[in-house]
Amino acid sequence: MPIQRRRFVAALGAGAVASTAGCSSTNDGNGDGGDGGSGGNGTDGGESAEESIGVAGETLTLTTTTSTYDTGLLDEIHTDFEEMYGVTVDAVAQGTGAALETARNGDSDIVMVHARGLEDEFMRNGYGINRRDLMFNDFVIVGPEDDPAGIEGMGSATEALTTVAEAQATFVSRGDNSGTHTKELNLWEAAGTEPGGDWYQETGTGMGEALNIANQQGAYTLSDRGTYISQRSEIDLTILVQGPIEGGPEILANPYGVMAVNPGVHDNANYDLAMAYIGWITSPEVQEAISEYQVNGEQLFFPRAVSENPDFQQYVPEGWSSDDSDE
């Protein structure tokens, strides 16, 4: 039954699913011994990476946010992992809330999302383990060039949203419990404004489609920078309020995390392959590949996994300490 459910989940992501190359390939010794290739997963005794953990021919089901799919990032980097381990990655693009729910139901092996509060809840409830900081970009508020609400250049995201609400200028919300939607709701709350009325439109769509709708209606919306850049040549919206990458407020920061599904809760979770993936994607080589990935000549994501001074709180829910546990 779990396998049948996973096939159904993967089918839901068709058209928003990443790579399939390498499922029947082997390493032919290219990953033997030494430094272990680009993922840093070296093995002893001349074994290839897939032989060392016995995963060749298997499938890793990754539920992830729409931004990692819409930008093309996973299509770009996954071939390396698939060829190294002789496996297939089924990347199912959903909003963060849906991605975590799929994993909570035991229908994925690993999640890559960008809403720390939802990630923390997932870990506290025992579903996710071995979380790692992965990468970041930021959120931006975009809208039509004529900017009817007059928010361009504002240094406060909450002030900008309040101004949009007061002007009752059309605002498109994803309304899908995604990481972007969660951030948007947090911004409205911080602004002390409850959005509603004809000017506020919830679409229940991914980021790419929300941008298209906002473009068609001459509306404002909150977008992650990466998805906006990847679609900018196809839409007429412009960035009106910058995030911290371009000197904007820190409240618009957008960090991504990756974590394995707990095999103690779901014994069908492919934990070995999930941990191989986490080790691979947080390795210096793949972090560099993430930093080098560009669309229209612009960097979309900034690596965060490798640091001279690592933050050990990345592994546990924010605010957690060993004193919180019963002795």
Side-chain angles (χ1 to χ4, degrees):
M1 181 62 71
I3 292 175
Q4 291 177 334
R5 286 204 310 270
R6 288 187 185 210
R7 287 174 178 163
F8 175 69
V9 169
L12 287 178
V17 179
S19 18
T20 57
C23 63
S24 61
S25 66
T26 60
N27 241 350
D28 295 331
N30 292 333
D32 291 351
D35 61 8
S38 65
N41 291 302
T43 61
D44 295 327
E47 287 183 309
S48 63
E50 70 266 24
E51 289 171 339
S52 68
I53 60 173
V55 296
E58 295 185 3
T59 296
L60 179 74
T61 302
L62 165 71
T63 46
T64 184
T65 106
T66 60
S67 60
T68 57
Y69 170 77
D70 288 344
T71 58
L73 173 68
L74 298 185
D75 283 333
E76 176 71 16
I77 65 174
H78 273 172
T79 299
D80 174 67
F81 180 77
E82 293 177 316
E83 292 179 349
M84 177 181 294
Y85 287 95
V87 299
T88 300
V89 179
D90 279 342
V92 182
Q94 302 174 301
T96 287
L100 291 170
E101 182 63 24
T102 298
R104 190 176 289 112
N105 292 336
D107 294 323
S108 74
D109 306 302
I110 190 169
V111 290
M112 180 192 299
V113 290
H114 64 138
R116 188 60 196 264
L118 297 181
E119 295 171 58
D120 287 349
E121 179 185 6
F122 187 74
M123 286 190 286
R124 286 193 182 99
N125 290 334
Y127 294 104
I129 55 176
N130 297 327
R131 182 193 177 277
R132 291 291 307 275
D133 289 339
L134 178 59
M135 59 190 182
F136 69 94
N137 60 16
D138 59 1
F139 294 103
V140 292
I141 300 176
V142 302
E145 289 188 9
D146 61 356
D147 186 21
I151 66 171
E152 184 173 9
M154 284 188 174
S156 167
T158 54
E159 180 183 352
L161 289 185
T162 298
T163 302
V164 168
E166 290 174 346
Q168 295 193 5
T170 305
F171 186 95
V172 169
S173 169
R174 285 180 58 170
D176 62 349
N177 196 33
S178 63
T180 304
H181 182 224
T182 299
K183 171 60 72 172
E184 181 216 318
L185 294 180
N186 290 341
L187 290 172
W188 287 117
E189 182 178 4
T193 301
E194 186 172 348
D198 293 339
W199 63 273
Y200 185 74
Q201 299 183 17
E202 295 182 284
T203 65
T205 65
M207 192 69 254
E209 184 60 23
L211 282 167
N212 286 329
I213 293 171
N215 184 60
Q216 293 165 6
Q217 300 191 12
Y220 297 92
T221 193
L222 180 74
S223 174
D224 70 281
R225 185 184 296 273
T227 306
Y228 170 75
I229 289 174
S230 70
Q231 293 195 205
R232 181 164 54 190
S233 63
E234 303 169 12
I235 57 179
D236 296 323
L237 302 177
T238 187
I239 295 177
L240 299 171
V241 177
Q242 292 282 1
I245 288 175
E246 294 293 338
E250 188 63 30
I251 197 172
L252 291 178
N254 183 28
Y256 289 74
V258 61
M259 73 184 106
V261 172
N262 187 354
V265 175
H266 294 296
D267 59 9
N268 63 302
N270 196 333
Y271 180 72
D272 287 346
L273 191 51
M275 291 306 298
Y277 182 91
I278 290 174
W280 169 82
I281 202 168
T282 60
S283 70
E285 293 83 0
V286 181
Q287 288 282 289
E288 182 177 359
I290 289 171
S291 72
E292 292 176 348
Y293 180 67
Q294 296 185 349
V295 171
N296 299 325
E298 295 190 57
Q299 182 176 349
L300 302 193
F301 299 97
F302 297 79
R304 196 173 181 224
V306 179
S307 172
E308 183 178 356
N309 299 300
D311 176 12
F312 294 105
Q313 284 292 314
Q314 68 180 296
Y315 304 110
V316 295
E318 286 191 330
W320 182 91
S321 73
S322 58
D323 294 337
D324 296 333
S325 303
D326 293 332
E327 296 295 337

